[in-house]
Amino acid sequence: MIHVGIGYDVHKLVQGRKLILGGVDLHYSKGLEGHSDADALMHAVCDAILGALGEGDIGHFFPNTDPRWHNAPSRLFLQEAARMVRLRGGQIINVDSTVIAQEPRIAPHIHAMKASIAHALDVNQARISIKATTNEGLGFIGRGEGIAALAVASVNLP
Ligand code: MG
């Protein structure tokens, strides 16, 4: 049976933080605020996989009140989601995602982000899709106040 899940995440852009997206440091003047490394893309992908499993969301498994996840690299969350798929005897078929950011340009980093997500999930890079768009200057994303990410995942479960 093919199960599909969706994920959405948004984090605020602030001074004094690294901008980590898809496990890659984008070396931007601001970074995403959050308890972990605030990697909105990995969080959206994690939620999509958990959604396909019908297992709730990232906040349930990795609460932002838990000191273990303070500044934690979000690949840990993806590794755990992939482990849950394998425990169920399942297989991740594909992940598609979109980063919505006014700045910086995401496109030059997409190859590295795909490799990083594929590695964390232990799947072939061909199964991971990452796209990027601006918000045409509209709203909080358009003003550069935050970055959002959307993801869908399909998982084959016995
Ligand atoms: Mg998040």
Side-chain angles (χ1 to χ4, degrees), residues 6-44:
I6 68 167
Y8 169 78
D9 197 28
V10 60
H11 283 265
K12 191 174 169 182
L13 268 173
V14 294
Q15 304 281 350
R17 293 267 299 182
K18 285 184 175 180
L19 177 55
I20 309 290
L21 279 175
V24 174
D25 185 347
L26 272 57
H27 299 289
Y28 186 53
S29 55
K30 297 181 201 171
L32 296 175
E33 184 176 63
H35 183 64
S36 64
D37 64 3
D39 187 329
L41 176 56
M42 280 196 168
H43 293 183

Side-chain angles (χ1 to χ4, degrees), residues 28-143:
Y28 186 53
S29 55
K30 297 181 201 171
L32 296 175
E33 184 176 63
H35 183 64
S36 64
D37 64 3
D39 187 329
L41 176 56
M42 280 196 168
H43 293 183
V45 170
C46 187
D47 260 357
I49 293 168
L50 293 175
L53 293 175
E55 293 275 5
D57 68 16
I58 190 169
H60 174 74
F61 292 98
F62 313 105
N64 62 11
T65 49
D66 187 333
R68 272 186 301 170
W69 313 125
H70 182 62
N71 288 328
S74 295
R75 66 177 151 73
L76 297 179
F77 309 152
L78 283 190
Q79 285 167 351
E80 178 60 16
R83 195 181 71 88
M84 290 167 70
V85 171
R86 288 192 295 272
L87 277 175
R88 294 269 294 269
Q91 185 193 23
I92 295 166
I93 298 171
N94 78 307
V95 171
D96 184 24
S97 62
T98 301
V99 175
I100 311 158
Q102 199 62 38
E103 281 190 342
R105 284 196 68 232
I106 305 299
H109 306 282
I110 282 181
H111 184 77
M113 288 156 68
K114 274 187 194 177
S116 156
I117 289 175
H119 183 71
L121 295 174
D122 195 19
V123 299
N124 192 295
Q125 213 171 302
R127 293 178 183 268
I128 309 298
S129 161
I130 302 171
K131 311 180 302 301
T133 183
T134 71
N135 219 32
E136 297 289 349
L138 296 169
F140 72 91
I141 295 173
R143 291 190 296 271

